[in-house]
């Protein structure tokens, strides 16, 4: 039988408002589904306590980030909450997809839109809070941001919630495990290719 190249892997983008729990759902998937490859983003944000370079993020200087942008090293990038830049290193994602692996990106809405236009075959999933009140509670509960930062993030979240219609599917994040399972099911069941327009 002729040797065939592996079928291109599926790319799923998980986006949604700030503090909805994207990171927690992504961490659940990382722990329970190592067969799904999670992209590690580059960011100019300094590490929070406990964050490990190369694992949670590639922490880079603004100059290094400029270089990545200039060399088309990022599949998408955005300034999130008007402060720091975040981007998805392109080569690693391309390699994994070409090898037939499932790839998950956990990024913000601006980035999701860029992936949509650069890789129309990507499947975009919107992670939604059970309610606005719950989203505010989660944002305040996290306690890692200053008051001004929290206000800025809430303003971003309000805009982001309105973008649900641009996505191929919505998952309500009531329980992390349920949301994670729903996401894994989308990889397995092979969602229909997004239609143009
Ligand atoms: P945090 O600073 O809390 O880790 O992340 C802030 C926001 O940046 C989150 O909404 C997260 O989804 C987003 N983000 C993380 N990595 C990327 C990336 O590579 N590209 C884009 N566009 N957003 C990202």
């Amino acid at each position: 039988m002729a040797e065939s190249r592996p079928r291109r892997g599926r790319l799923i983008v998980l986006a949604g408002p700030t503090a909805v729990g994207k990171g927690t759902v992504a961490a659940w998937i990382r722990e329970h589904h190592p067969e799904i490859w999670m992209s590690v983003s580059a960011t100019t944000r300094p590490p929070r306590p406990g964050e490990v370079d190369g694992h949670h993020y590639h922490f880079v200087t603004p100059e290094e980030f400029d270089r990545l942008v200039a060399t088309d090293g990022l599949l998408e990038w955005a300034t999130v909450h008007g402060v720091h830049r975040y981007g998805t290193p392109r080569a690693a994602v391309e390699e994994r997809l070409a090898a037939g692996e499932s790839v998950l990106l956990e990024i913000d809405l601006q980035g999701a839109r860029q992936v949509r236009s650069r890789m129309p075959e990507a499947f975009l999933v919107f992670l939604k809070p059970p309610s606005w009140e719950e989203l505010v509670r989660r944002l305040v509960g996290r306690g890692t941001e200053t008051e001004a930062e929290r206000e800025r993030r809430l303003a971003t979240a309000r805009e982001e919630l309105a973008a649900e219609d641009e996505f191929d599917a919505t998952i309500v994040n009531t329980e992390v495990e349920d949301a994670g399972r729903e996401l894994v099911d989308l990889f397995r069941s092979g969602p229909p290719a997004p239609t143009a327009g």
Side-chain angles (χ1 to χ4, degrees):
M1 214 164 73
E3 203 180 313
S4 61
R5 284 196 306 170
R7 206 159 58 105
R8 202 169 151 81
R10 180 179 301 281
L11 175 64
I12 294 190
V13 174
L14 180 66
T18 183
V20 72
K22 295 190 298 278
T24 317
V25 172
W28 185 89
I29 291 193
R30 201 197 293 265
E31 187 182 344
H32 295 89
H33 291 276
E35 77 280 9
I36 295 174
W37 187 78
M38 295 217 17
S39 166
V40 179
S41 300
T43 183
T44 57
R45 163 168 86 58
R48 295 189 185 121
E51 284 184 334
V52 176
D53 188 35
H55 179 72
H56 297 95
Y57 283 105
H58 298 290
F59 295 100
V60 299
T61 63
E63 293 72 26
E64 284 168 333
F65 201 96
D66 287 344
R67 210 170 310 129
L68 283 170
V69 172
T71 56
D72 198 23
L74 300 176
L75 174 60
E76 59 74 35
W77 71 272
T79 303
V80 181
H81 308 304
V83 188
H84 299 296
R85 288 179 290 168
Y86 299 78
T88 303
R90 196 164 55 82
V93 170
E94 292 285 4
E95 277 162 25
R96 301 290 173 145
L97 289 175
E101 289 184 47
S102 300
V103 171
L104 180 63
L105 308 184
E106 184 252 293
I107 59 178
D108 90 319
L109 178 63
Q110 309 166 73
R113 288 179 174 136
Q114 291 170 46
V115 175
R116 163 73 89 215
S117 71
R118 279 188 92 164
M119 284 190 172
E121 73 278 18
F123 193 77
L124 269 56
V125 178
F126 189 79
L127 192 67
K128 194 172 138 169
S131 66
W132 172 255
E133 290 70 28
E134 177 61 18
L135 184 66
V136 174
R137 200 184 63 76
R138 287 178 194 179
L139 192 59
V140 172
R142 190 155 73 178
T144 48
E145 290 88 19
T146 63
E147 181 66 32
E149 175 74 2
R150 209 156 46 222
E151 282 306 313
R152 200 160 42 225
R153 286 179 179 229
L154 275 176
T156 308
R158 235 173 253 120
E159 272 176 39
E160 288 178 335
L161 270 179
E164 184 183 349
D165 288 355
E166 299 172 34
F167 284 71
D168 299 307
T170 294
I171 294 176
V172 179
N173 187 19
T174 307
E175 291 291 333
V176 171
E177 224 176 291
D178 294 341
R181 289 216 174 88
E182 269 189 63
L183 191 55
V184 171
D185 283 347
L186 286 176
F187 274 107
R188 292 208 179 123
S189 63
T195 48

